[in-house]
Amino acid sequence: MTLDTATPRTNLLGLTREEMETFFVSLGEKKFRAAQVMKWIHHEGCDDFESMTNLSKALRTRLEEIAEIRGPRVVYEGASQDGTRKWVLEVEDGSYVETVLIPAEGGKRRTLCVSSQVGCSLDCSFCSTGKQGFQRNLTSAEVIGQVWVASNSFGARRDTTNRPVTNVVMMGMGEPLMNYNAVVPAMKLMLDDNGYGLSKRRVTLSTSGVVPMIDKLGDELDVSLAISLHAANDELRNELVPLNRKYNIATLLDSCRRYLDKCDDTRMLTIEYTLMKDVNDQQCHAQELATLLGDLPCKINLIPFNPFPHSGYEKPSRNQVMRFQQWLEELGHTAPVRMTRGDDIDAACGQLVGRVKDRTKRHERYIQSIQIDAD
Ligand code: SAH
Ligand code: SF4
């Protein structure tokens, strides 16, 4: 295939159904071509037009001239003994992002943790992604490309009764609500039957609390929402999550209530609470948290801090984590602890270079500790 470098090709990977329909209509084709091509891309893992045998030869040739299906390049792929799979992906400008697939329930559930940005601008004090600063937003093709790569690793042809990826959590690198315009189309593709056909309860967006965007998201989609709270008073949260100085806890929880009100089913929020030794892991913190959350329909995920060099924080002891959980449960809150799982994939991580290695190890441990409960 010869490449025409003069006009950039349209990458069809990140197009929602509406965008794909507009694209085909602009070529003088019928709208239903969109569903056909989406199925080839997202159900079959196809990246060449030649294989799309239900399209005419003329249309396939035309598509080869003006379009492409370009996913991120896999730089590293690893599998751990517990079934966790991990990818380091190279995106357009040579940056790396990572994606991790975590199995649960004897393989019935496979949760993919997806990145939304290279780096992050929000600079939470305990987060290594934040420490790297912000490099750039991923495109919708790069966000959905992570689901595409993970799904393709299970071979072609999707079976709706045995999906390679059953759940997605937007909990990888970056703040998804700071990249709204790429993340929302990608999540639409996760939900679309011609895309990945996941139910909205199985797609979770995690945010540190970009309030206006929580409201906007609620007007457009009703995926599950996870809030990275980590502190129950503004003084401490200002320190851990600087964004709190802009949108404080009361403002954030109000937006969460509005979000839940917009969902047309009974839905629970996930509250993420990273436990840091002597910072937010004492009984007074548990009491304050329980009081703050009151009767908000939510589940609290307790995540022991994952240390990284020069973080300045420590992980609490296992006993302290258990005590914290018990305090919350005595106060009427469900608070599963997300413990770190087997680390045998680390050896492979050691083969990765510099910054990739650091990020990967931190995220891997964190991501392995997460199993979002959904249907
Ligand atoms: N930016 C979004 C999503 C990506 S971060 C957010 O903040 O929610 C995903 C989760 O990882 C967040 O809950 C974040 O607080 C948590 N996290 C970041 N660094 C961590 C660390 N070192 N140990 C444990 N959890 C961490
Ligand atoms: Fe960004 Fe989330 Fe890390 Fe905060 S915790 S710096 S919002 S990725």
Side-chain angles (χ1 to χ4, degrees):
M1 186 167 43
T2 48
L3 284 179
D4 173 7
T5 47
T7 11
R9 293 150 188 267
T10 306
N11 189 0
L12 303 188
L13 182 63
L15 299 193
T16 61
R17 190 196 305 220
E18 295 76 45
E19 289 165 342
M20 193 78 99
E21 283 174 355
T22 307
F23 172 79
F24 278 103
V25 168
S26 77
L27 299 183
E29 291 286 332
K30 293 273 191 297
K31 273 188 180 176
F32 73 85
R33 295 286 176 215
Q36 284 180 319
V37 171
M38 284 174 76
K39 283 181 185 154
W40 281 112
I41 298 174
H42 302 290
H43 294 191
E44 309 292 332
C46 187
D47 66 354
D48 70 292
F49 298 109
E50 198 46 47
S51 323
M52 301 185 180
T53 45
N54 54 358
L55 307 184
S56 70
K57 181 80 188 122
L59 178 56
R60 280 184 268 163
T61 308
R62 183 83 214 278
L63 288 174
E64 260 165 33
E65 284 161 11
I66 59 164
E68 63 182 349
I69 302 154
R70 187 161 34 86
R73 192 172 75 82
V74 177
V75 176
Y76 168 78
E77 178 168 2
S80 95
Q81 272 169 15
D82 63 13
T84 302
R85 295 188 189 194
K86 181 188 62 186
W87 295 265
V88 175
L89 303 171
E90 183 180 352
V91 290
E92 297 266 305
D93 59 357
S95 302
Y96 294 140
V97 292
E98 60 197 52
T99 303
V100 180
L101 188 74
I102 310 133
E105 295 172 10
K108 269 201 342 226
R109 182 186 304 181
R110 281 184 288 260
T111 301
L112 189 69
C113 184
V114 167
S115 297
S116 55
Q117 297 181 312
V118 183
C120 182
S121 60
L122 298 182
D123 200 21
C124 298
S125 60
F126 55 92
C127 173
S128 74
T129 303
K131 295 276 161 272
Q132 291 167 33
F134 172 70
Q135 287 161 60
R136 74 168 175 89
N137 279 330
L138 296 184
T139 63
S140 58
E142 290 165 344
V143 177
I144 201 66
Q146 297 169 60
V147 188
W148 188 72
V149 165
S151 301
N152 292 352
S153 76
F154 286 82
R157 188 159 277 286
R158 310 286 186 265
D159 169 0
T160 47
T161 59
N162 185 25
R163 296 177 202 277
V165 174
T166 62
N167 297 63
V168 174
V169 289
M170 297 295 310
M171 288 186 188
M173 300 167 72
E175 167 50 56
L177 291 185
M178 295 294 280
N179 186 14
Y180 189 91
N181 290 342
V183 165
V184 165
M187 286 197 302
K188 285 184 176 167
L189 282 168
M190 295 170 200
L191 303 174
D192 196 309
D193 282 343
N194 296 314
Y196 296 86
L198 300 178
S199 98
K200 56 197 177 186
R201 302 171 80 94
R202 289 169 176 260
V203 175
T204 302
L205 183 140
S206 172
T207 178
S208 55
V210 192
V211 165
M213 292 296 146
I214 294 176
D215 284 326
K216 196 167 173 199
L217 182 72
D219 293 334
E220 218 169 331
L221 286 177
D222 56 354
V223 293
S224 297
L225 191 62
I227 300 293
S228 295
L229 194 63
H230 315 305
N233 68 69
D234 283 322
E235 197 186 346
L236 181 56
R237 195 164 191 269
N238 284 347
E239 204 183 293
L240 301 177
V241 184
L243 183 67
N244 195 70
R245 295 182 201 140
K246 196 159 182 191
Y247 307 113
N248 66 18
I249 296 176
T251 312
L252 173 58
L253 292 185
D254 280 348
S255 76
C256 292
R257 288 192 188 90
R258 287 193 294 275
Y259 188 88
L260 291 180
D261 282 347
K262 287 178 199 165
C263 293
D264 60 9
D265 55 359
T266 332
R267 201 72 73 82
M268 291 227 288
L269 277 181
T270 299
I271 299 290
E272 291 164 277
Y273 195 93
T274 298
L275 282 164
M276 287 160 257
K277 187 176 173 205
D278 298 333
V279 173
N280 64 355
D281 66 344
Q282 301 297 304
Q283 189 163 16
C284 60
H285 299 120
Q287 281 164 344
E288 201 175 16
L289 181 62
T291 308
L292 174 73
L293 296 176
D295 58 5
L296 188 73
C298 66
K299 174 193 63 173
I300 307 164
N301 272 352
L302 296 176
I303 310 151
F305 171 68
N306 278 317
F308 58 92
H310 316 297
S311 72
Y313 294 104
E314 285 174 60
K315 187 177 176 156
S317 70
R318 199 184 154 84
N319 279 347
Q320 186 63 14
V321 172
M322 294 305 162
R323 275 197 288 273
F324 198 87
Q325 177 187 39
Q326 210 179 333
W327 291 325
L328 285 175
E329 290 190 345
E330 282 164 10
L331 293 165
H333 286 275
T334 314
V337 179
R338 303 310 186 185
M339 296 307 285
T340 305
R341 294 206 276 157
D343 229 9
D344 59 313
I345 210 165
D346 253 357
C349 286
Q351 295 161 7
L352 301 168
V353 288
R355 64 198 181 104
V356 182
K357 177 181 166 188
D358 285 341
R359 285 183 202 169
T360 301
K361 285 179 76 169
R362 206 280 291 162
H363 267 263
E364 164 129 349
R365 292 213 188 88
Y366 168 66
I367 288 158
Q368 283 186 345
S369 75
I370 296 277
Q371 290 167 43
I372 285 284
D373 290 324
D375 287 353

Short mmCIF file of all heavy atoms in Angstrom, two decimals, residues 17-38 54-56 59 63:
data_model
loop_
_atom_site.label_atom_id
_atom_site.label_comp_id
_atom_site.label_asym_id
_atom_site.label_seq_id
_atom_site.Cartn_x
_atom_site.Cartn_y
_atom_site.Cartn_z
N ARG A 17 -20.69 6.20 16.46
CA ARG A 17 -21.58 5.77 15.40
C ARG A 17 -22.08 6.98 14.56
O ARG A 17 -22.07 6.94 13.34
CB ARG A 17 -22.79 5.02 15.96
CG ARG A 17 -23.56 4.38 14.81
CD ARG A 17 -24.93 3.95 15.21
NE ARG A 17 -24.91 3.08 16.35
CZ ARG A 17 -25.68 2.01 16.47
NH1 ARG A 17 -26.48 1.67 15.48
NH2 ARG A 17 -25.67 1.30 17.57
N GLU A 18 -22.45 8.07 15.27
CA GLU A 18 -22.94 9.25 14.55
C GLU A 18 -21.85 9.80 13.62
O GLU A 18 -22.09 10.17 12.47
CB GLU A 18 -23.37 10.38 15.50
CG GLU A 18 -24.57 10.06 16.39
CD GLU A 18 -24.22 9.13 17.55
OE1 GLU A 18 -23.18 9.38 18.19
OE2 GLU A 18 -24.95 8.15 17.79
N GLU A 19 -20.62 9.89 14.16
CA GLU A 19 -19.52 10.44 13.36
C GLU A 19 -19.22 9.54 12.16
O GLU A 19 -18.94 10.01 11.05
CB GLU A 19 -18.26 10.58 14.23
CG GLU A 19 -18.37 11.70 15.25
CD GLU A 19 -17.29 11.63 16.34
OE1 GLU A 19 -16.67 10.56 16.53
OE2 GLU A 19 -17.12 12.64 17.03
N MET A 20 -19.32 8.24 12.39
CA MET A 20 -19.05 7.29 11.31
C MET A 20 -20.15 7.42 10.24
O MET A 20 -19.87 7.37 9.03
CB MET A 20 -19.02 5.87 11.89
CG MET A 20 -18.48 4.83 10.97
SD MET A 20 -16.68 4.86 10.88
CE MET A 20 -16.25 3.56 11.99
N GLU A 21 -21.40 7.60 10.68
CA GLU A 21 -22.50 7.77 9.72
C GLU A 21 -22.28 9.02 8.88
O GLU A 21 -22.42 9.00 7.65
CB GLU A 21 -23.84 7.84 10.46
CG GLU A 21 -24.30 6.45 10.91
CD GLU A 21 -25.55 6.47 11.79
OE1 GLU A 21 -26.04 7.56 12.15
OE2 GLU A 21 -26.03 5.38 12.13
N THR A 22 -21.89 10.12 9.56
CA THR A 22 -21.63 11.37 8.84
C THR A 22 -20.52 11.15 7.81
O THR A 22 -20.60 11.64 6.67
CB THR A 22 -21.22 12.48 9.84
OG1 THR A 22 -22.22 12.54 10.84
CG2 THR A 22 -21.05 13.83 9.18
N PHE A 23 -19.51 10.41 8.23
CA PHE A 23 -18.38 10.14 7.33
C PHE A 23 -18.86 9.41 6.07
O PHE A 23 -18.54 9.81 4.94
CB PHE A 23 -17.32 9.32 8.08
CG PHE A 23 -16.20 8.83 7.22
CD1 PHE A 23 -15.15 9.68 6.86
CD2 PHE A 23 -16.17 7.51 6.76
CE1 PHE A 23 -14.10 9.23 6.06
CE2 PHE A 23 -15.13 7.06 5.96
CZ PHE A 23 -14.10 7.91 5.61
N PHE A 24 -19.67 8.36 6.25
CA PHE A 24 -20.11 7.59 5.07
C PHE A 24 -21.09 8.38 4.21
O PHE A 24 -21.03 8.30 2.98
CB PHE A 24 -20.67 6.22 5.50
CG PHE A 24 -19.56 5.23 5.72
CD1 PHE A 24 -19.16 4.89 6.99
CD2 PHE A 24 -18.88 4.69 4.64
CE1 PHE A 24 -18.10 4.01 7.19
CE2 PHE A 24 -17.81 3.81 4.82
CZ PHE A 24 -17.42 3.47 6.10
N VAL A 25 -21.96 9.16 4.86
CA VAL A 25 -22.89 9.98 4.08
C VAL A 25 -22.08 10.97 3.23
O VAL A 25 -22.40 11.21 2.06
CB VAL A 25 -23.92 10.68 5.01
CG1 VAL A 25 -24.70 11.75 4.26
CG2 VAL A 25 -24.86 9.64 5.63
N SER A 26 -20.99 11.51 3.81
CA SER A 26 -20.16 12.47 3.05
C SER A 26 -19.51 11.81 1.84
O SER A 26 -19.11 12.48 0.89
CB SER A 26 -19.10 13.11 3.95
OG SER A 26 -18.04 12.19 4.16
N LEU A 27 -19.42 10.48 1.86
CA LEU A 27 -18.86 9.77 0.69
C LEU A 27 -19.96 9.36 -0.30
O LEU A 27 -19.70 8.65 -1.26
CB LEU A 27 -18.13 8.49 1.14
CG LEU A 27 -16.95 8.60 2.08
CD1 LEU A 27 -16.34 7.23 2.34
CD2 LEU A 27 -15.89 9.53 1.51
N GLY A 28 -21.21 9.75 0.02
CA GLY A 28 -22.33 9.35 -0.85
C GLY A 28 -22.79 7.94 -0.57
O GLY A 28 -23.49 7.32 -1.39
N GLU A 29 -22.42 7.40 0.58
CA GLU A 29 -22.82 6.03 0.95
C GLU A 29 -24.01 6.06 1.90
O GLU A 29 -24.32 7.08 2.50
CB GLU A 29 -21.65 5.33 1.66
CG GLU A 29 -20.47 5.04 0.78
CD GLU A 29 -20.72 3.88 -0.18
OE1 GLU A 29 -21.52 2.99 0.15
OE2 GLU A 29 -20.11 3.88 -1.28
N LYS A 30 -24.64 4.91 2.06
CA LYS A 30 -25.75 4.80 3.02
C LYS A 30 -25.20 4.74 4.46
O LYS A 30 -24.09 4.28 4.69
CB LYS A 30 -26.54 3.50 2.75
CG LYS A 30 -27.28 3.50 1.42
CD LYS A 30 -28.65 4.14 1.61
CE LYS A 30 -29.57 3.96 0.43
NZ LYS A 30 -29.11 4.59 -0.81
N LYS A 31 -26.08 5.21 5.39
CA LYS A 31 -25.66 5.25 6.80
C LYS A 31 -25.28 3.89 7.37
O LYS A 31 -24.44 3.78 8.26
CB LYS A 31 -26.83 5.78 7.66
CG LYS A 31 -26.89 7.27 7.77
CD LYS A 31 -27.96 7.64 8.79
CE LYS A 31 -28.05 9.14 8.92
NZ LYS A 31 -29.12 9.57 9.81
N PHE A 32 -25.95 2.84 6.86
CA PHE A 32 -25.71 1.53 7.48
C PHE A 32 -24.28 1.02 7.29
O PHE A 32 -23.84 0.10 7.96
CB PHE A 32 -26.72 0.47 7.01
CG PHE A 32 -26.52 0.01 5.59
CD1 PHE A 32 -25.62 -1.02 5.29
CD2 PHE A 32 -27.23 0.59 4.57
CE1 PHE A 32 -25.44 -1.45 3.98
CE2 PHE A 32 -27.04 0.18 3.25
CZ PHE A 32 -26.15 -0.84 2.95
N ARG A 33 -23.54 1.64 6.39
CA ARG A 33 -22.12 1.28 6.23
C ARG A 33 -21.37 1.50 7.54
O ARG A 33 -20.41 0.78 7.84
CB ARG A 33 -21.46 2.15 5.14
CG ARG A 33 -22.02 1.92 3.76
CD ARG A 33 -21.53 0.60 3.20
NE ARG A 33 -22.14 0.33 1.91
CZ ARG A 33 -22.47 -0.89 1.50
NH1 ARG A 33 -22.26 -1.94 2.26
NH2 ARG A 33 -23.02 -1.05 0.32
N ALA A 34 -21.83 2.51 8.31
CA ALA A 34 -21.15 2.83 9.58
C ALA A 34 -21.16 1.60 10.49
O ALA A 34 -20.12 1.18 11.01
CB ALA A 34 -21.83 4.01 10.25
N ALA A 35 -22.35 1.01 10.68
CA ALA A 35 -22.45 -0.16 11.58
C ALA A 35 -21.60 -1.30 11.05
O ALA A 35 -20.92 -1.99 11.82
CB ALA A 35 -23.91 -0.58 11.71
N GLN A 36 -21.62 -1.49 9.72
CA GLN A 36 -20.82 -2.60 9.15
C GLN A 36 -19.34 -2.43 9.45
O GLN A 36 -18.68 -3.36 9.92
CB GLN A 36 -20.99 -2.63 7.62
CG GLN A 36 -22.32 -3.20 7.17
CD GLN A 36 -22.42 -3.19 5.64
OE1 GLN A 36 -22.02 -2.24 4.98
NE2 GLN A 36 -22.97 -4.26 5.09
N VAL A 37 -18.85 -1.20 9.22
CA VAL A 37 -17.41 -0.97 9.41
C VAL A 37 -17.06 -1.01 10.90
O VAL A 37 -16.01 -1.55 11.29
CB VAL A 37 -16.98 0.35 8.72
CG1 VAL A 37 -15.55 0.72 9.09
CG2 VAL A 37 -17.09 0.19 7.21
N MET A 38 -17.95 -0.46 11.74
CA MET A 38 -17.67 -0.50 13.19
C MET A 38 -17.54 -1.95 13.67
O MET A 38 -16.69 -2.26 14.48
CB MET A 38 -18.79 0.21 13.97
CG MET A 38 -18.68 1.72 13.89
SD MET A 38 -20.09 2.50 14.66
CE MET A 38 -19.67 2.28 16.39
N ASN A 54 -18.03 -7.46 3.15
CA ASN A 54 -19.39 -7.03 2.82
C ASN A 54 -19.43 -5.60 2.26
O ASN A 54 -20.51 -5.02 2.09
CB ASN A 54 -20.34 -7.18 4.03
CG ASN A 54 -19.82 -6.48 5.28
OD1 ASN A 54 -18.73 -5.91 5.27
ND2 ASN A 54 -20.60 -6.52 6.33
N LEU A 55 -18.27 -5.02 1.96
CA LEU A 55 -18.22 -3.73 1.27
C LEU A 55 -17.79 -3.98 -0.17
O LEU A 55 -17.01 -4.90 -0.43
CB LEU A 55 -17.19 -2.80 1.92
CG LEU A 55 -17.27 -2.53 3.43
CD1 LEU A 55 -16.21 -1.51 3.83
CD2 LEU A 55 -18.66 -2.04 3.83
N SER A 56 -18.28 -3.13 -1.08
CA SER A 56 -17.90 -3.33 -2.48
C SER A 56 -16.40 -3.08 -2.64
O SER A 56 -15.79 -2.36 -1.85
CB SER A 56 -18.67 -2.36 -3.37
OG SER A 56 -18.20 -1.05 -3.14
N LEU A 59 -15.64 0.61 -2.83
CA LEU A 59 -15.66 1.33 -1.55
C LEU A 59 -14.40 1.00 -0.75
O LEU A 59 -13.79 1.88 -0.14
CB LEU A 59 -16.93 0.98 -0.74
CG LEU A 59 -17.04 1.64 0.63
CD1 LEU A 59 -16.95 3.17 0.53
CD2 LEU A 59 -18.36 1.26 1.33
N LEU A 63 -11.78 3.71 0.60
CA LEU A 63 -11.44 3.83 2.02
C LEU A 63 -9.92 3.74 2.22
O LEU A 63 -9.35 4.48 3.02
CB LEU A 63 -12.15 2.75 2.84
CG LEU A 63 -13.66 2.96 3.02
CD1 LEU A 63 -14.29 1.76 3.72
CD2 LEU A 63 -13.97 4.23 3.80
#
